[in-house]
Coordinates of all heavy atoms in Angstrom, one line a residue:
K396 N -17.5 4.9 49.4 CA -18.9 4.7 49.0 C -19.3 3.3 48.9 O -20.4 3.0 49.3 CB -19.0 5.4 47.7 CG -18.9 7.0 47.7 CD -19.0 7.6 46.3 CE -18.9 9.2 46.4 NZ -19.1 9.7 44.9
M397 N -18.4 2.5 48.4 CA -18.6 1.1 48.2 C -18.8 0.4 49.7 O -19.6 -0.5 49.9 CB -17.7 0.5 47.3 CG -17.8 1.0 45.9 SD -16.6 0.2 44.7 CE -17.1 -1.5 44.8
G398 N -17.8 0.9 50.6 CA -18.0 0.3 51.9 C -19.3 0.6 52.5 O -19.9 -0.3 53.1
N399 N -19.8 1.8 52.4 CA -21.2 2.2 52.9 C -22.2 1.5 52.3 O -23.3 1.1 52.9 CB -21.3 3.7 52.9 CG -20.6 4.4 54.1 OD1 -21.2 4.5 55.1 ND2 -19.4 4.9 53.9
I400 N -22.1 1.2 51.0 CA -23.2 0.5 50.3 C -23.3 -0.9 50.8 O -24.4 -1.5 51.1 CB -22.9 0.5 48.7 CG1 -23.2 1.9 48.2 CG2 -23.8 -0.5 48.1 CD1 -22.7 2.0 46.7
S401 N -22.2 -1.6 51.0 CA -22.2 -3.0 51.6 C -22.7 -2.9 52.9 O -23.5 -3.8 53.2 CB -20.7 -3.6 51.4 OG -20.8 -4.9 51.8
A402 N -22.3 -2.0 53.8 CA -22.9 -1.9 55.1 C -24.4 -1.6 55.2 O -25.0 -2.2 56.0 CB -22.1 -0.7 55.9
Q403 N -24.8 -1.0 54.3 CA -26.3 -0.8 54.2 C -27.2 -1.8 53.8 O -28.3 -2.0 54.3 CB -26.6 0.6 53.4 CG -26.0 1.9 54.0 CD -26.0 3.0 52.9 OE1 -26.5 2.9 51.9 NE2 -25.2 4.1 53.3
I404 N -26.6 -2.6 52.9 CA -27.4 -3.6 52.3 C -27.1 -5.1 52.8 O -28.1 -5.8 53.1 CB -27.3 -3.6 50.7 CG1 -27.6 -2.2 50.1 CG2 -28.2 -4.7 50.0 CD1 -27.4 -2.1 48.7
A405 N -26.0 -5.4 52.9 CA -25.4 -6.7 53.4 C -25.7 -6.8 54.7 O -25.5 -5.7 55.5 CB -24.1 -6.9 52.9
D406 N -25.8 -8.0 55.3 CA -25.9 -8.2 56.8 C -24.5 -8.3 57.4 O -24.2 -8.2 58.5 CB -26.6 -9.5 57.1 CG -28.2 -9.3 56.5 OD1 -28.8 -8.5 57.2 OD2 -28.5 -10.0 55.6
Y407 N -23.5 -8.8 56.6 CA -22.2 -9.0 57.0 C -21.2 -8.7 55.8 O -21.5 -9.3 54.7 CB -22.0 -10.4 57.6 CG -20.7 -10.8 58.0 CD1 -20.1 -10.0 59.0 CD2 -20.0 -12.0 57.6 CE1 -18.8 -10.3 59.5 CE2 -18.8 -12.3 58.2 CZ -18.2 -11.4 59.0 OH -16.9 -11.8 59.6
S408 N -20.2 -7.9 55.9 CA -19.2 -7.6 54.9 C -17.9 -8.2 55.2 O -17.5 -8.0 56.3 CB -19.2 -6.0 54.7 OG -20.4 -5.5 54.4
V409 N -17.4 -8.7 54.2 CA -15.9 -9.3 54.2 C -15.1 -8.5 53.3 O -15.3 -8.6 52.0 CB -15.9 -10.7 53.9 CG1 -14.4 -11.2 54.0 CG2 -16.8 -11.6 54.8
I410 N -14.4 -7.5 53.7 CA -13.7 -6.6 53.0 C -12.2 -7.1 52.7 O -11.5 -7.4 53.6 CB -13.5 -5.2 53.6 CG1 -15.1 -4.7 53.8 CG2 -12.9 -4.1 52.8 CD1 -15.3 -3.7 54.7
T411 N -11.8 -7.2 51.5 CA -10.6 -7.8 51.0 C -9.9 -7.0 49.9 O -10.2 -5.9 49.7 CB -10.9 -9.2 50.7 OG1 -9.6 -10.0 50.5 CG2 -11.8 -9.3 49.4
S412 N -9.0 -7.6 49.4 CA -8.2 -7.1 48.3 C -8.8 -7.6 46.9 O -9.4 -8.6 46.8 CB -6.8 -7.7 48.3 OG -5.9 -7.1 47.2
D413 N -8.7 -6.7 46.0 CA -9.2 -6.8 44.6 C -8.0 -7.1 43.7 O -7.3 -8.0 43.9 CB -10.2 -5.6 44.1 CG -10.9 -6.1 42.9 OD1 -10.2 -6.0 41.7 OD2 -12.1 -6.1 43.0
N414 N -7.8 -6.1 42.8 CA -6.5 -6.1 42.1 C -5.7 -4.8 42.6 O -5.9 -3.7 42.2 CB -6.7 -5.9 40.6 CG -7.3 -7.1 39.9 OD1 -7.0 -8.2 40.2 ND2 -8.2 -6.9 39.0
P415 N -4.9 -5.1 43.6 CA -4.2 -3.9 44.2 C -3.2 -3.1 43.3 O -2.9 -2.0 43.5 CB -3.5 -4.5 45.5 CG -3.3 -5.9 45.1 CD -4.5 -6.4 44.3
R416 N -2.7 -3.9 42.2 CA -1.9 -3.2 41.3 C -0.6 -2.8 42.0 O 0.0 -3.6 42.8 CB -2.6 -2.2 40.4 CG -3.6 -2.8 39.6 CD -4.2 -1.8 38.6 NE -5.3 -2.4 37.9 CZ -6.6 -2.4 38.3 NH1 -7.0 -1.9 39.4 NH2 -7.5 -3.1 37.5
T417 N -0.3 -1.5 42.0 CA 0.9 -1.1 42.7 C 0.7 -0.5 44.2 O 1.6 -0.1 44.7 CB 1.6 0.0 41.9 OG1 0.8 1.2 41.8 CG2 1.9 -0.5 40.6
E418 N -0.6 -0.5 44.6 CA -0.9 0.0 45.9 C -0.8 -1.1 47.0 O -0.9 -2.2 46.7 CB -2.3 0.6 45.9 CG -2.5 1.9 45.2 CD -3.7 2.6 45.5 OE1 -4.0 3.0 46.5 OE2 -4.5 2.8 44.6
N419 N -0.7 -0.7 48.2 CA -0.8 -1.5 49.3 C -2.3 -2.0 49.7 O -3.0 -1.1 49.9 CB -0.2 -0.8 50.6 CG -0.1 -1.7 51.8 OD1 -1.0 -2.5 52.1 ND2 0.9 -1.5 52.6
P420 N -2.6 -3.3 49.6 CA -3.9 -3.7 49.8 C -4.5 -3.2 51.1 O -5.7 -2.9 51.1 CB -3.8 -5.2 49.8 CG -2.6 -5.5 49.1 CD -1.6 -4.4 49.3
D421 N -3.7 -3.2 52.2 CA -4.3 -2.9 53.6 C -4.7 -1.4 53.5 O -5.6 -1.0 54.2 CB -3.2 -3.1 54.6 CG -3.0 -4.6 54.8 OD1 -4.0 -5.3 54.6 OD2 -1.9 -5.0 55.2
E422 N -3.8 -0.5 52.8 CA -4.3 1.0 52.7 C -5.6 1.2 51.9 O -6.3 2.0 52.2 CB -3.1 1.7 52.0 CG -1.9 1.8 52.9 CD -0.7 2.5 52.2 OE1 -0.9 3.1 51.2 OE2 0.3 2.6 52.8
I423 N -5.7 0.3 50.7 CA -7.0 0.3 50.1 C -8.3 0.0 51.1 O -9.2 0.7 51.2 CB -7.0 -0.5 49.0 CG1 -5.9 -0.1 48.0 CG2 -8.4 -0.6 48.2 CD1 -5.7 -1.0 46.7
I424 N -8.0 -1.0 51.9 CA -9.1 -1.6 52.7 C -9.4 -0.5 53.7 O -10.5 -0.3 54.2 CB -8.6 -2.8 53.3 CG1 -8.6 -4.1 52.4 CG2 -9.5 -3.3 54.6 CD1 -7.9 -5.3 52.8
A425 N -8.3 0.2 54.2 CA -8.5 1.3 55.2 C -9.3 2.3 54.7 O -10.2 2.9 55.4 CB -7.1 1.8 55.7
Q426 N -9.1 2.8 53.5 CA -10.1 3.7 52.9 C -11.5 3.2 52.7 O -12.4 4.1 52.9 CB -9.5 4.2 51.5 CG -8.2 4.9 51.5 CD -7.6 5.2 50.2 OE1 -8.4 5.4 49.1 NE2 -6.2 5.2 50.0
I427 N -11.7 1.9 52.4 CA -13.0 1.4 52.2 C -13.8 1.4 53.6 O -15.0 1.9 53.7 CB -13.0 -0.1 51.8 CG1 -12.4 -0.2 50.3 CG2 -14.3 -0.7 51.9 CD1 -12.2 -1.6 49.9
V428 N -13.1 1.2 54.6 CA -13.8 1.2 56.1 C -13.7 2.5 56.8 O -14.2 2.6 57.8 CB -13.2 0.1 57.0 CG1 -13.3 -1.3 56.2 CG2 -11.6 0.3 57.2
S429 N -13.3 3.6 56.1 CA -12.9 4.7 56.8 C -14.3 5.5 57.3 O -14.1 6.4 58.2 CB -12.1 5.7 55.9 OG -12.9 6.0 54.7
N430 N -15.3 5.3 56.6 CA -16.5 6.0 57.1 C -17.7 5.0 57.3 O -18.9 5.5 57.1 CB -16.9 7.1 55.9 CG -17.8 8.1 56.4 OD1 -17.8 8.5 57.6 ND2 -18.7 8.5 55.6
L431 N -17.4 3.8 57.8 CA -18.5 2.9 58.0 C -19.3 3.3 59.2 O -18.7 3.8 60.2 CB -17.9 1.5 58.2 CG -17.3 0.8 57.0 CD1 -16.8 -0.7 57.3 CD2 -18.3 0.6 55.8
P432 N -20.7 3.1 59.2 CA -21.4 3.3 60.5 C -20.8 2.3 61.6 O -20.3 1.2 61.4 CB -22.9 2.9 60.1 CG -22.8 2.9 58.6 CD -21.4 2.6 58.0
H433 N -21.0 2.8 62.9 CA -20.3 2.1 63.9 C -20.9 0.9 64.1 O -20.2 -0.2 64.7 CB -20.4 3.1 65.2 CG -21.9 3.0 65.8 ND1 -22.8 4.0 65.4 CD2 -22.4 2.4 66.8 CE1 -23.9 3.7 65.9 NE2 -23.7 2.8 67.0
D434 N -22.1 0.6 63.8 CA -22.7 -0.7 64.0 C -22.6 -1.7 62.8 O -23.2 -2.7 62.8 CB -24.2 -0.6 64.4 CG -25.1 0.2 63.2 OD1 -24.4 0.7 62.4 OD2 -26.2 0.1 63.2
T435 N -21.7 -1.3 62.0 CA -21.6 -2.4 60.8 C -20.9 -3.6 61.2 O -19.9 -3.6 61.9 CB -20.6 -1.6 59.7 OG1 -21.3 -0.3 59.3 CG2 -20.5 -2.6 58.5
K436 N -21.4 -4.7 60.6 CA -20.9 -6.1 61.0 C -20.0 -6.3 59.8 O -20.3 -6.6 58.7 CB -22.0 -7.2 61.1 CG -22.9 -6.8 62.4 CD -23.9 -8.0 62.3 CE -24.7 -7.7 63.7 NZ -25.9 -8.8 63.8
Y437 N -18.7 -6.4 60.1 CA -17.6 -6.6 59.0 C -16.4 -7.2 59.6 O -16.2 -7.2 60.7 CB -17.4 -5.3 58.2 CG -16.5 -4.2 59.0 CD1 -15.1 -4.2 58.7 CD2 -17.1 -3.4 59.9 CE1 -14.4 -3.3 59.4 CE2 -16.3 -2.4 60.6 CZ -14.9 -2.4 60.3 OH -14.1 -1.5 60.9
V438 N -15.6 -7.7 58.6 CA -14.2 -8.2 58.9 C -13.3 -7.8 57.8 O -13.8 -7.7 56.6 CB -14.3 -9.7 59.2 CG1 -14.6 -10.4 58.0 CG2 -12.9 -10.1 59.7
C439 N -12.1 -7.5 58.0 CA -11.1 -7.2 57.0 C -10.1 -8.3 56.9 O -9.4 -8.7 57.9 CB -10.3 -5.8 57.2 SG -11.4 -4.4 57.3
I440 N -10.1 -9.0 55.7 CA -9.2 -10.0 55.4 C -8.5 -9.7 54.1 O -9.0 -9.9 53.1 CB -9.9 -11.4 55.4 CG1 -10.7 -11.7 56.7 CG2 -8.9 -12.6 55.2 CD1 -11.5 -12.9 56.6

Side-chain angles (χ1 to χ4, degrees):
K396 293 181 180 180
M397 292 177 67
N399 275 278
I400 287 168
S401 184
Q403 291 164 13
I404 303 174
D406 298 291
Y407 182 50
S408 299
V409 182
I410 301 167
T411 186
S412 178
D413 191 285
N414 289 320
R416 299 184 176 89
T417 65
E418 287 194 65
N419 183 324
D421 292 329
E422 292 179 2
I423 296 174
I424 291 171
Q426 292 179 33
I427 294 172
V428 304
S429 62
N430 196 33
L431 290 181
H433 71 277
D434 58 347
T435 302
K436 294 181 179 179
Y437 75 97
V438 64
C439 297
I440 304 175

